[in-house]
Amino acid sequence: SAEAHRRIPPSAARRAYAGPGALRCDRTYGRAVTDLRVPDAPADLTRTLGALRASGHEHRTVKEELRTNLVARLSAGEDPFPGVVGIEDTVRPQLERAILAGHDLVLLGERGQGKTRLLRTLVGLLDEWTPVLEGSELNEHPYEPISVWARRTVAEHGDATGVAWRHRSERYGEKLATPDTSVGDLIGDVDPVKVAEGRTLGDPETVHYGLVPRTNRGIFAINELPDLAERIQVSLLNVLEERDIQVRGYALRLPLDLLLVASANPEDYTNRGRIITPLKDRFGAEIRTHYPLRLADEVGLVRQEADLRALVPAHLLEIVARFTRLVRESPAVDARSGVSARFAVAAAESLAASALRRAAITGETAAVARVGDLPAVVPTLRGKVEFEVSEEGREEDVLMHLLRRAVAETFRARLGGVDLAPLVERFDEGSTIEVGDLVTSEEVLAAVGPLAGLGRLVSALEGDEAAESPGVAASCIETALEGLYLTRRISKDEVPGGGRAVYGGA
């Protein structure tokens, strides 16, 4: 039915479940979204230090939590890094070994390879709830207070010391390494307000802690690590090795308990900056990421990430995936910059938007994308690709050529063994079929008329379970027409003014 092609509104589709690390997978659109809501702690959790000891709770470090929970996931056959596509046999085993070894790590790869997404999924391997001293800035475990304030509080109140509980989604900190990042942002600095209140400069409680110590007993991620100035990177050396921090002239010994992870692009080592050698040496593992190696993974990634507001048939998603892969492989494109997965996602979303626009203007019942919607998407994608200098001025021509190749490859792969003679015969008899971004599916089907083997055509492009509807049938027919034109079996004329084309004719 027409209603089957309308998407569920996001407000109805995105439910309240907050998965690991406050990242949950939206099953309606497949998009992983950030959920800022933190669930309430269960009422049966203990609220004092004495009750915590009586419950038999055992303190584990962050890396012990990660190791134990990862082993449990692997033993149960569960995916420890949900939402990350195409890394099952390459990146995932290396990442699992690094976590099991207790290593801090760097993910190294081109833009749009899911490095940040992968880092954020690590939070799902932490315990769901962990106890902290109530009121602690450093999320200190009640058994092991590390700050002056915490040790004094435990000494004064003993077993009556208050205990709060933090959800694993609150135990992840992240900083984009912008050039203006300071040591105070990451590590800490003197708080002038506390000094003005009468504390002396020698008092360690005048320190305002930075992002790293405030993520104590959690995971801290630095995105684009080489963008940090080298003098700022030096401030992380003690965090990685000695597990403490230094703030100006204060004699602080804070044994931080955290996993430090980072992301970087390979070109950053030579262009925008580099990771200083002592810091690289302190990271336990450097893991290379990559774009999806298999076409099916590329399609799966687009399905998962794209927020499609209209029906985009499966064969069109395959065309988008092939198009993205051809752009990455093209000698006209700067291979060092890479072609982000966001390129394919934006293409699929723009394709759906084109179908939705057609339905809104023409009153078409169901918004279904067609291959004729693809050329209009190309100009919007130009800014996502870095071309070689020699291709200046030809960027859109290059993309259009690669798009036609993607359509032709999909046509051969899906319809190579399908008898399209009945369709070709229509044009041998002098028939013409007009298509365009404002030509409705009903108009396309009416121009084609009754066609023998239409069911086989739809099944070959969409699978045996494809929904039978005018929109899907018209989309499949238009893809067959474009494939026949690209393989030089029929002719095609572009109508001046853009947006329309006529297959067949003289």
Side-chain angles (χ1 to χ4, degrees), residues 36-96:
L36 300 180
R37 292 168 293 182
V38 177
D40 295 329
D44 59 346
L45 294 177
T46 57
R47 300 296 173 177
T48 64
L49 177 56
L52 184 67
R53 286 198 176 100
S55 70
H57 170 80
E58 295 182 4
H59 173 231
R60 294 187 298 177
T61 66
V62 168
K63 293 183 177 180
E64 287 172 347
E65 283 184 41
L66 293 169
R67 183 184 298 114
T68 302
N69 293 332
L70 175 57
V71 168
R73 291 275 185 92
L74 295 177
S75 300
E78 299 176 5
D79 182 2
F81 314 116
V84 185
V85 178
I87 65 168
E88 294 79 9
D89 303 321
T90 52
V91 178
R92 175 176 158 178
Q94 296 180 48
L95 185 55
E96 290 168 351

Side-chain angles (χ1 to χ4, degrees), residues 9-274:
S11 58
R14 294 172 181 172
R15 301 300 184 187
Y17 171 69
L23 288 172
R24 70 178 189 277
C25 189
D26 181 331
R27 296 304 179 189
T28 300
Y29 293 107
R31 167 173 295 228
V33 294
T34 302
D35 190 341
L36 300 180
R37 292 168 293 182
V38 177
D40 295 329
D44 59 346
L45 294 177
T46 57
R47 300 296 173 177
T48 64
L49 177 56
L52 184 67
R53 286 198 176 100
S55 70
H57 170 80
E58 295 182 4
H59 173 231
R60 294 187 298 177
T61 66
V62 168
K63 293 183 177 180
E64 287 172 347
E65 283 184 41
L66 293 169
R67 183 184 298 114
T68 302
N69 293 332
L70 175 57
V71 168
R73 291 275 185 92
L74 295 177
S75 300
E78 299 176 5
D79 182 2
F81 314 116
V84 185
V85 178
I87 65 168
E88 294 79 9
D89 303 321
T90 52
V91 178
R92 175 176 158 178
Q94 296 180 48
L95 185 55
E96 290 168 351
R97 293 186 190 104
I99 294 172
L100 294 175
H103 288 164
D104 300 291
L105 57 97
V106 177
L107 294 183
L108 190 65
E110 283 81 16
R111 59 180 180 175
Q113 291 185 346
K115 299 185 294 295
T116 302
R117 170 70 59 79
L118 189 52
L119 293 179
R120 290 176 176 177
T121 62
L122 296 179
V123 181
L125 296 176
L126 292 173
D127 293 342
E128 184 173 9
W129 294 98
T130 192
V132 297
L133 281 174
E134 192 169 27
S136 171
E137 292 182 275
L138 303 179
N139 311 314
E140 296 155 270
H141 194 282
Y143 292 177
E144 295 189 8
I146 61 176
S147 68
V148 173
W149 171 88
R151 289 195 293 268
R152 183 175 65 242
T153 299
V154 172
E156 289 178 359
H157 301 285
D159 285 349
T161 302
V163 171
W165 292 83
R166 288 179 68 84
H167 190 257
R168 58 189 167 201
S169 61
E170 301 176 277
R171 299 172 66 191
Y172 178 82
E174 187 175 282
K175 181 70 174 74
L176 177 61
T178 53
D180 62 339
T181 301
S182 67
V183 174
D185 295 334
L186 292 178
I187 306 301
D189 207 338
V190 175
D191 188 341
V193 175
K194 293 179 179 178
V195 175
E197 290 175 346
R199 291 189 176 96
T200 64
L201 281 176
D203 186 348
E205 291 191 73
T206 60
V207 172
H208 175 77
Y209 296 108
L211 291 171
V212 173
R214 286 178 181 274
T215 317
N216 181 44
R217 299 190 56 237
I219 299 172
F220 188 77
I222 303 177
N223 277 326
E224 311 301 339
L225 177 59
D227 281 355
L228 275 185
E230 294 183 5
R231 64 182 182 84
I232 309 302
Q233 294 184 36
V234 170
S235 68
L236 298 174
L237 297 181
N238 271 33
V239 175
L240 281 168
E241 189 66 26
E242 287 77 16
R243 295 292 161 183
D244 59 17
I245 62 172
Q246 297 178 1
V247 178
R248 294 189 180 270
Y250 287 81
L252 292 178
R253 181 70 176 90
L254 298 178
L256 299 179
D257 175 20
L258 53 77
L259 175 72
L260 188 66
V261 294
S263 69
N265 296 328
E267 284 300 303
D268 290 343
Y269 283 99
T270 55
N271 287 352
R272 295 187 307 192
R274 68 185 186 94

Side-chain angles (χ1 to χ4, degrees), residues 330-368:
S330 172
V333 174
D334 184 359
R336 295 173 301 176
S337 67
V339 177
S340 168
R342 288 181 283 270
F343 178 92
V345 172
E349 291 176 341
S350 297
L351 191 58
S354 183
L356 190 60
R357 174 179 178 270
R358 176 171 55 250
I361 294 174
T362 64
E364 195 173 19
T365 305
V368 183

